[in-house]
Amino acid sequence: MRVPPLLRTALGWHRPLMAAAVLAGLVLAVALVGIAVDDRVVVGEPVWSKPARFALSIAVYTVTLAWLLSWTRRFGHRLGAVIAVLVTVELAAVVVQAVRGVRSHFNVATAVDAVVFNAMGAVILTVWALNVVMAAVLVRGPVGDRVMARAVRWGMAVTLAGMPVALLMSRATPEQAAALAEGGSDVIGAHTVGAPDGGPGLPLVGWSTVAGDLRVSHFLGIHGIHVMILVALVVGSVARYRAEPPSEAARVRLVGVAGAVYAGTFGLTVWQALRGQSVVAPDAWTLAVAGALLFCAVAGSWWAFAPPRKTRRRRGGVG
């Protein structure tokens, strides 16, 4: 069977990362079937929901990273190969726990569960550290034009800030701390702030509708690089179809404004979750900050496309 040219090009970006993406795609397909035929429930949702979400997230992440690394040299490719192995291990751990019918995160009920959870934590911390190095490599090297380079820098910054949100989830809740003091707890850590995990949540993502949920900011953070690349692509596409396209400098400024507003939105969701407030029930303070971010987006867009001021000619004499 002949491989389409576009797919052949994509597979050549970085083979280990693209292999991890293909494997994640297969896991996603299996997980979707599992959701349909397996009626087991873990923490209030189908047992295969988490493997499906993780598989989709890892597939998008690895494909994006493979494309970014196509702009780098051998050192970046070696880092990518290590990341491909680590995220595959992470996905395998989630799948194994789903097969066993138990939760994958925060689970220390048995020695096996504790080993799996701690191993997942070590993998994620290592991936984060490698992404820090990767960000340094990408910032120093050329990645597309100036517009895309600005988008990648903002995206990597938000992604690196979003990954450690998982550490906030790993803290023992007050109830868990009390249980530990009295002898032990089967669970250490939670997604939800102000209510137990597994309560009412939004469809597909499961984000709590009655309390704070750190998965909102974690999601926005780790996918910051994808959002910013899409922003750069959209800005470039719109510019090509305009009769008088904006200058490259204007597009660079616009992407910078989008990156700053997105980073502010990420910070807002962290603050909102830590106050135990659901993403669908913002209070006056949250709405005020959201309004300020919206104002910054509008004002920043106007500034990005504002024509440059003409320099005044000096009076008297010829310069």
Side-chain angles (χ1 to χ4, degrees):
M1 185 177 66
R2 185 178 179 182
V3 179
L6 180 60
L7 180 58
R8 189 184 306 116
T9 300
L11 292 174
W13 289 339
H14 191 286
R15 291 189 179 278
L17 283 169
M18 293 304 295
V22 171
L23 179 60
L26 294 175
V27 171
L28 174 61
V30 172
L32 291 176
V33 174
I35 292 174
V37 302
D38 193 339
D39 58 359
R40 291 179 298 169
V41 175
V42 175
V43 198
E45 64 179 11
V47 68
W48 288 99
S49 293
K50 181 158 287 188
R53 291 197 298 267
F54 265 69
L56 178 59
S57 179
I58 287 174
V60 174
Y61 167 75
T62 49
V63 170
T64 304
L65 189 57
W67 175 75
L68 289 172
L69 289 178
S70 67
W71 296 87
T72 65
R73 296 182 179 181
R74 184 174 300 176
F75 177 69
H77 278 250
R78 289 175 178 173
L79 288 178
V82 177
I83 291 175
V85 173
L86 291 174
V87 296
T88 301
V89 170
E90 177 81 2
L91 181 58
V94 174
V95 171
V96 166
Q97 294 296 74
V99 171
R100 297 179 63 220
V102 298
R103 63 188 299 169
S104 55
H105 289 70
F106 320 125
N107 187 0
V108 292
T110 68
V112 173
D113 295 323
V115 168
V116 172
F117 176 52
N118 290 327
M120 291 170 63
V123 166
I124 290 302
L125 287 175
T126 306
V127 170
W128 179 81
L130 292 176
N131 271 270
V132 172
V133 179
M134 195 72 68
V137 172
L138 293 171
V139 166
R140 294 185 61 183
V143 181
D145 56 12
R146 290 176 57 209
V147 178
M148 183 59 72
R150 177 64 62 85
V152 168
R153 287 171 183 147
W154 270 108
M156 288 301 296
V158 177
T159 293
L160 291 175
M163 287 182 176
V165 172
L167 298 177
L168 297 176
M169 302 180 193
S170 301
R171 300 180 303 175
T173 65
E175 295 78 13
Q176 293 166 0
L180 287 171
E182 294 178 0
S185 174
D186 291 343
V187 178
I188 299 178
H191 302 126
T192 313
V193 179
D197 283 348
L202 294 175
L204 298 180
V205 291
W207 298 339
S208 177
T209 56
V210 296
D213 199 318
L214 288 164
R215 288 177 295 182
V216 181
S217 54
H218 189 52
F219 175 86
L220 292 179
I222 62 177
H223 292 297
I225 183 64
H226 311 126
V227 171
M228 291 308 303
I229 288 175
L230 285 176
V231 168
L233 292 175
V234 169
V235 169
S237 299
V238 172
R240 281 194 296 270
Y241 286 102
R242 290 187 60 179
E244 295 183 2
S247 65
E248 184 181 52
R251 287 182 282 128
V252 169
R253 291 194 295 268
L254 181 62
V255 169
V257 169
V261 172
Y262 190 84
T265 303
F266 160 74
L268 173 61
T269 56
V270 175
W271 179 56
Q272 184 181 22
L274 290 177
R275 290 186 294 136
Q277 184 183 115
S278 171
V279 68
V280 298
D283 62 7
W285 283 106
T286 301
L287 291 174
V289 175
L293 288 171
L294 179 61
F295 172 80
C296 291
V298 174
S301 300
W302 176 85
W303 165 78
F305 290 109
R309 293 183 179 181
K310 295 182 179 180
T311 305
R312 290 186 177 182
R313 295 181 61 184
R314 292 184 179 181
R315 293 184 178 181
V318 179

